[in-house]
Amino acid sequence: MRRRYLLLKIESLQEIDEKDFRNAVWDAVLRLFGEYGASKTGIALIDYDVAKKYAIIRCAHTEVDMVRASLASITEINAKPVATYVLGVSGTLKSLRRKFFSPQ
Amino acid sequence: MKKFCDLNLRVSLRDSVLAEKMIKKASTLGYSYVGIPLPANVQSEIVSKLRQLCADVGIDFITRVNLVPKKPGELLSQLRGFRRKFELVSVACLSKPVARQAAKDRRVDLISFPSLDFRKRFFDVAEAELASNALASFEIEMCPLLSSAGFERIRLLSNLRKEVAIAEKFSIPVIISSGATNKFFMRTPRDFAAFSCLFDISPSSALSALSENPLVIVKRNRAKLSSDYVAPGIRVVRRGKDCGE
């Protein structure tokens, strides 16, 4: 199965721990697309940086729009306002990190 | 490369710090144009301050007025007064007669309907037919979609799906805007495009609704507001001594 890696920026007033973020992503997918839709996304949280507020998510390449829509629908975690933006999408982790984290 | 446009960024005119943050955020999210709704009697200093804030982060600022008339006659008088003061005129249609008048008036750029008051969403076939003979585009705000949940969002998505299908049938341009009042309701254009798939807009149409469609309106209106504009298809190309050459 081909996959896509999504680099996310998390905008929030306070720090969000990894577990809460993972739950928020799953909740968003389940709320919008149900269990059938969620089963097709193949979502996995690959990397999460609490301090820098970045995350990398892996999903099936056919369901990128579905995952993007779900991530866009996240407006709060633990009753605190939150926004997530997809900064980039790539076919491999290596190229995602090269594109966005390589020193210019 | 596509240039993206958020025609409805509801920044606070009183809180300049928050306004600056939102404009900067729009720039980092990849928007090149930002439309900010202004009160009809806005002071020119506020407009120039916002223009400067946008220019500092490399964003093109679009002046916009949201008209909320109660009767068609009120809409006509507001259009007479404000059309030439703003680059973009949007009409919030709260009644059917206003919606019909707004759809057929060529001075109206955007028509919008109350997102969560479903009995006041008057965008039907008759409305679309009128709008297709004029210049009005159908605006969809994403903020209510993001902030609502459960049955409310289901109903809104269902309504939007029907309205978008009608708009496409009558070739009425659809405009997607954030309607964000703070940075937590702002998203990247591609995130909004992905989210729009929930009401069955194709990805390419969704991207057009965030880039080409709004830019067509802005360019058309800027041309009309320029001093060289005479009438549709007629503009001044030379003045004074240049005319003799």
Side-chain angles (χ1 to χ4, degrees), chain B residues 134-155:
Chain B
L135 297 169
S137 302
F138 176 56
E139 186 183 30
I140 298 172
E141 267 187 39
M142 298 304 272
C143 187
L145 263 175
L146 294 177
S147 60
S148 62
F151 183 67
E152 212 173 42
R153 179 148 69 188
I154 292 168
R155 204 158 167 206

Side-chain angles (χ1 to χ4, degrees), chain B residues 18 35 63 70 79 98 105 112 120 159 205 215 221 238 243:
Chain B
L18 183 65
T63 55
K70 288 179 185 142
L79 284 171
V98 168
D105 198 308
S112 62
K120 288 187 176 175
N159 275 300
S205 303
L215 287 181
N221 288 349
R238 287 182 189 176
C243 298

Side-chain angles (χ1 to χ4, degrees), chain B residues 14-244:
Chain B
R14 289 179 193 157
D15 189 347
S16 59
V17 178
L18 183 65
E20 192 177 348
K21 275 184 186 170
M22 285 179 73
I23 289 166
K24 275 185 183 166
K25 191 83 216 169
S27 169
T28 50
L29 292 178
Y31 291 97
S32 308
Y33 295 81
V34 155
I36 297 177
L38 302 165
N41 56 353
V42 68
Q43 294 166 335
S44 58
E45 298 90 64
I46 294 174
V47 177
S48 50
K49 196 176 171 187
L50 285 170
R51 201 178 293 282
Q52 189 56 48
L53 278 176
C54 290
D56 290 345
V57 291
I59 281 185
D60 200 331
F61 169 63
I62 301 157
T63 55
R64 165 183 174 140
V65 66
N66 289 347
L67 303 178
V68 194
K70 288 179 185 142
K71 290 177 181 172
E74 196 182 333
L75 171 65
L76 293 175
S77 72
Q78 286 181 344
L79 284 171
R80 266 195 300 276
F82 305 126
R83 174 63 269 192
R84 293 198 65 82
K85 288 183 185 168
F86 296 91
E87 289 166 325
L88 208 67
V89 173
S90 165
V91 178
C93 306
L94 301 181
S95 69
K96 199 175 250 187
V98 168
R100 298 293 189 253
Q101 182 61 46
K104 66 186 175 190
D105 198 308
R106 291 174 69 87
R107 292 170 294 179
V108 175
D109 300 314
L110 301 171
I111 48 174
S112 62
F113 300 89
S115 296
L116 300 173
D117 191 350
F118 301 107
R119 280 186 296 181
K120 288 187 176 175
R121 295 193 69 90
F122 303 111
F123 193 80
D124 50 14
V125 172
E127 179 84 1
E129 205 164 350
L130 286 172
S132 66
N133 295 322
L135 297 169
S137 302
F138 176 56
E139 186 183 30
I140 298 172
E141 267 187 39
M142 298 304 272
C143 187
L145 263 175
L146 294 177
S147 60
S148 62
F151 183 67
E152 212 173 42
R153 179 148 69 188
I154 292 168
R155 204 158 167 206
L156 180 53
L157 284 172
S158 161
N159 275 300
L160 285 174
R161 198 170 291 124
K162 283 178 204 159
E163 289 164 1
V164 165
I166 291 171
E168 282 180 352
K169 188 178 171 191
F170 286 89
S171 306
I172 295 162
V174 175
I175 307 288
I176 294 172
S177 62
S178 72
T181 47
N182 64 55
K183 61 181 179 175
F184 293 107
F185 287 107
M186 295 170 74
R187 298 288 183 275
T188 65
R190 288 183 194 280
D191 286 347
F192 274 145
F195 200 75
S196 312
C197 297
L198 296 176
F199 43 87
D200 293 350
I201 290 193
S202 67
S204 61
S205 303
L207 287 174
S208 297
L210 284 149
S211 58
E212 286 96 0
N213 296 354
L215 287 181
V216 165
I217 301 173
V218 172
K219 280 181 186 163
R220 184 181 65 217
N221 288 349
R222 282 186 174 167
K224 279 184 182 176
L225 290 173
S226 89
S227 56
D228 294 337
Y229 180 80
V230 180
I234 308 167
R235 66 187 170 90
V236 177
V237 283
R238 287 182 189 176
R239 287 176 193 275
K241 287 177 186 174
D242 291 346
C243 298

Side-chain angles (χ1 to χ4, degrees), chain A residues 12-69:
Chain A
S12 64
L13 298 173
Q14 76 293 331
E15 282 190 352
I16 296 159
D17 68 36
E18 190 177 328
K19 192 183 165 197
D20 287 340
F21 180 70
R22 187 188 286 118
N23 287 343
V25 173
W26 275 112
D27 280 351
V29 177
L30 281 168
R31 215 171 37 232
L32 281 185
F33 300 104
E35 291 175 359
Y36 172 70
S39 71
K40 293 201 289 182
T41 57
I43 286 183
L45 183 60
I46 301 295
D47 201 357
Y48 186 75
D49 191 326
V50 181
K52 290 182 183 169
K53 296 181 178 176
Y54 282 99
I56 296 176
I57 275 184
R58 187 184 71 201
C59 68
H61 87 285
T62 51
E63 312 302 337
V64 173
D65 280 342
M66 198 190 259
V67 174
R68 276 188 104 133

